[in-house]
Amino acid sequence: MKAMACRDAKAHLLDYAEGELDDALRAALREHVAGCPDCRRELQEIEGLRSSLGRERVPEPGPAFWEEFPDRVWQAYRAELPAAGRPATGPRAGGGLGMNPVAARWASLAPRLQFNLALLAVFALGLGATGYLTYGQLHRNAREEVARNAALIMEAALSMRRYTIGQIRPLLGDSGKFHPQTVPAYATTEIMNQLQKRYADYSYKDAALNPTNPRNRAVGWEAEIVGSFRGNPGQGEIRGVRDTAAGPSFYVARPTRIRDKDCLSCHTTPEQAPPAMVRIYGTAGGYGWKYNEIVGAQIVSVSMAQAVRHADRTFFILMASLAAVFAMLFVILNLVLSRTIARPIGRQSG
Amino acid sequence: MSIVTARTGPGDAELVRAFAGGSERAFKELVRHYQAPLYRFIWRQVRNQSEVADLCQEVFIQVFLKAGSFRGESSFRTWLYQIAINRCRNHFRSRGRERLEDVEIEALPLVDSPANDAAEASQEARRVRAAVQALPPKQRITLELRFYQGCTFAEIAEIMICPVGTAKANYHHAIASLRKRGLEP
């Protein structure tokens, strides 16, 4: 057998002292130590060190303590169960640690996974709640904005009607000729049509069930609104949203009631109406109106498509930003967790 | 030294399963088997007898509350010591000191010793304690696990989440440091 070198022997002295070497190595080292005073001294130091360490005694509690300790721990464990979210009854047959299956499954997950799942749940909950509340609020805001615009257009239309009745009709009404421009519905519709050329989302109609001008005839949903006003004369305004091919459309309607007896001169019978008007519009409609009767409705419609698009875009940007913030938080928290908890434990352990 | 002895009857994994199934007997059997070595291990960490029993109890409770995550891939013992190390570390943090080295050596209690050589034993105990406590934490804990708890290097590596080679190196460094400090008879 080849003699062991001093350097190799020193590397194995501790293992030798602890009985960790196999027979061949042990025999070689024993032989080397027998002939090497330096290694022999080092081995004696190691054995002496082990002996010193072994002399340190822990002050032990007495046998009575150990006898009752398992019961004490059991009672403390049982008392701890409610605080840990588990039944105070402790483990039960088939129950797995006294936990319900979900809690048992949760407890079996790695702490890091538990942390991340909890974090994701909080983020998902936060994102969901924020999304739900924000989406509703943004769409309410969009509708309110559209409603404000519609009210403005309606007030503008009413002003045009009053202007036509108060200032245009007196100027042209006594000329002996019939000018459609003196009719408030005509004037208002014409002006609004001009506006619509630049702002296609806004429209105005002086809808009537029995109009003189056929373009003012109320179509299905408009006729329903007029019918609603006629059935409930005290109703001052109707608002709503209807679906159209171009998307949702907000409307506001006010009743057209005959309050000016001068109106009846054109709308009672064809014979009483100005011949020039009869020549333009014929005798098919626009007659038989009565004083104080609701004959139609002024209806302003505003497309909600653009406002909804704005709300949706804002919603998307907000949610994407929040998701990005959550994602960054997720990564940062995991990094912080690794640096402040996981690695220190590893360092302590390794 | 307080090496855990082998025992007859059901193994740790079997007892943990039995406990999960509702067995109080399995719970107490596990506590009974590990209570003394765990007590000694914690005592060597905190060196304060008034706190050891409570810490020992807390470690056991923590272990059993988390028993659902014990899959038997590692041994119950390594898992127990992992939790004990973390609990001791938290204990020091809660006391406003990071580790045992921050405690004044002279303030530490003496170990029990026979009356006839009490003075010599006291001096020797202080010398050993001071030398061990001067070691870096990972070396000190490795020494505790290896020398006093009789863990294999594979077990130490599992407890301290490190390669087996690192566990061996830590132990050898610890012994070398103690020799340099002249801790021999």
Side-chain angles (χ1 to χ4, degrees):
Chain A
M1 188 171 59
K2 190 182 172 185
M4 183 178 271
C6 219
R7 184 177 167 187
D8 293 337
K10 284 180 190 299
H12 288 110
L13 285 174
L14 181 57
D15 292 336
Y16 177 82
E18 296 195 343
E20 292 286 317
L21 297 182
D22 60 38
D23 291 344
L25 208 51
R26 166 174 283 272
L29 194 122
R30 190 184 297 124
E31 186 185 324
H32 175 88
V33 168
C36 176
D38 192 34
C39 287
R40 192 162 55 246
R41 184 182 50 76
E42 200 165 312
L43 180 62
Q44 283 168 351
E45 280 180 15
I46 290 172
E47 284 171 340
L49 171 64
R50 286 174 52 77
S51 173
S52 294
L53 288 171
R55 274 201 291 276
E56 193 192 28
R57 292 282 177 270
V58 172
E60 297 260 1
F65 174 87
W66 292 130
E67 189 58 38
E68 62 134 22
F69 191 67
D71 287 325
R72 173 180 156 182
V73 177
W74 172 252
Q75 295 305 327
Y77 166 75
R78 292 276 300 266
E80 194 74 23
L81 285 175
R86 301 175 195 176
T89 49
R92 54 179 184 268
L97 302 175
M99 293 181 273
N100 64 45
V102 177
R105 176 72 186 137
W106 174 259
S108 72
L109 300 176
R112 179 67 164 268
L113 184 59
Q114 283 182 339
F115 174 79
N116 280 332
L117 286 175
L119 205 60
L120 284 175
V122 169
F123 285 172
L125 209 65
L127 214 57
T130 306
Y132 176 77
L133 295 172
T134 308
Y135 186 85
Q137 189 59 46
L138 283 172
H139 279 255
R140 274 193 297 278
N141 290 349
R143 182 176 162 140
E144 281 171 14
E145 183 189 339
V146 169
R148 273 197 303 276
N149 289 341
L152 185 68
I153 297 292
M154 175 61 83
E155 288 303 322
L158 293 173
S159 301
M160 291 168 206
R161 287 179 69 91
R162 284 194 288 273
Y163 174 76
T164 305
I165 294 169
Q167 298 196 34
I168 303 300
R169 185 184 282 174
L171 284 175
L172 301 177
D174 298 335
S175 65
K177 291 183 179 179
F178 173 73
H179 298 284
Q181 289 78 6
T182 61
V183 178
Y186 179 88
T188 308
T189 303
E190 285 298 310
I191 293 169
M192 286 299 177
N193 284 348
Q194 294 295 321
L195 181 73
Q196 200 181 10
K197 285 178 186 171
R198 287 206 60 181
Y199 297 96
D201 286 344
Y202 299 88
S203 68
Y204 172 85
K205 185 169 179 179
D206 229 314
L209 295 177
N210 177 24
T212 306
N213 187 339
R215 74 175 178 182
N216 292 339
R217 182 167 300 282
V219 296
W221 68 277
E222 296 165 341
E224 282 179 21
I225 289 174
V226 177
S228 178
F229 281 132
R230 288 168 70 91
N232 184 10
Q235 197 168 10
E237 186 175 279
I238 293 176
R239 292 176 171 214
V241 177
R242 64 190 189 88
D243 288 323
T244 70
S249 176
F250 179 85
Y251 65 85
V252 55
R254 291 189 184 176
T256 307
R257 188 189 293 270
I258 305 301
R259 294 189 185 279
D260 187 350
K261 287 187 178 174
D262 288 349
C263 293
L264 296 177
S265 61
C266 296
H267 297 290
T268 305
T269 63
E271 291 75 23
Q272 290 175 314
M277 188 192 90
V278 176
R279 274 198 298 278
I280 295 171
Y281 298 114
T283 58
Y287 304 105
W289 293 10
K290 294 182 175 58
Y291 180 68
N292 216 27
E293 181 189 10
I294 292 172
V295 296
Q298 297 138 271
I299 301 174
V300 169
S301 294
V302 182
S303 169
M304 292 183 69
Q306 196 176 2
V308 168
R309 271 199 303 277
H310 283 160
D312 286 345
R313 195 179 306 127
T314 307
F315 176 73
F316 175 77
I317 291 169
L318 179 74
M319 296 308 284
S321 307
L322 268 179
V325 169
F326 282 163
M328 279 193 293
L329 263 179
F330 186 83
V331 172
I332 290 168
L333 284 174
N334 267 279
L335 286 174
V336 170
L337 193 70
S338 293
R339 285 174 186 278
T340 58
I341 299 175
R343 286 189 192 170
I345 288 173
R347 277 202 297 276
Q348 178 190 334
S349 304
Chain B
M1 291 198 285
S2 55
I3 295 169
V4 177
T5 53
R7 60 159 178 258
T8 55
D12 290 347
E14 201 177 327
L15 286 171
V16 172
R17 274 197 299 278
F19 163 69
S23 171
E24 179 183 340
R25 190 196 62 76
F27 178 99
K28 290 182 178 174
E29 176 62 25
L30 282 164
V31 173
R32 196 169 290 113
H33 188 69
Y34 285 104
Q35 59 188 11
L38 181 67
Y39 183 96
R40 293 173 196 132
F41 179 74
I42 292 176
W43 188 90
R44 289 183 202 281
Q45 300 296 307
V46 300
R47 307 267 173 173
N48 185 338
Q49 200 164 4
S50 65
E51 296 170 332
V52 180
D54 286 344
L55 283 170
C56 199
Q57 176 175 302
E58 286 170 24
V59 169
F60 273 123
I61 289 172
Q62 206 174 341
V63 164
F64 285 111
L65 285 174
K66 291 183 174 179
S69 61
F70 181 73
R71 296 189 187 86
E73 291 161 0
S74 55
S75 78
F76 181 80
R77 178 159 83 138
T78 58
W79 192 42
L80 180 74
Y81 284 128
Q82 261 186 347
I83 290 176
I85 290 168
N86 288 335
R87 182 64 194 88
C88 290
R89 187 181 174 79
N90 291 339
H91 171 75
F92 285 125
R93 278 185 177 163
S94 69
R95 298 299 167 96
R97 48 189 159 98
E98 186 61 22
R99 52 189 188 170
L100 185 59
E101 294 89 292
D102 300 338
V103 184
E104 286 292 327
I105 301 297
E106 296 303 321
L108 294 170
L110 295 175
V111 296
D112 291 346
S113 54
N116 58 354
D117 59 354
E120 189 186 336
S122 301
Q123 193 178 2
E124 170 73 2
R126 277 214 174 88
R127 219 156 54 86
V128 170
R129 210 175 302 148
V132 170
Q133 282 161 209
L135 293 172
K138 60 186 177 183
Q139 288 183 22
R140 178 169 50 79
I141 294 172
T142 300
L143 181 79
E144 300 283 355
L145 290 170
R146 174 72 179 167
F147 190 80
Y148 293 109
Q149 300 294 319
C151 292
T152 64
F153 286 116
E155 285 178 316
I156 295 170
E158 204 170 284
I159 292 167
M160 304 180 79
I161 317 168
C162 69
V164 173
T166 305
K168 280 183 181 174
N170 284 337
Y171 184 61
H172 280 255
H173 286 318
I175 295 293
S177 296
L178 293 177
R179 282 182 57 213
K180 275 183 192 166
R181 289 176 67 93
L183 187 60
E184 70 251 12

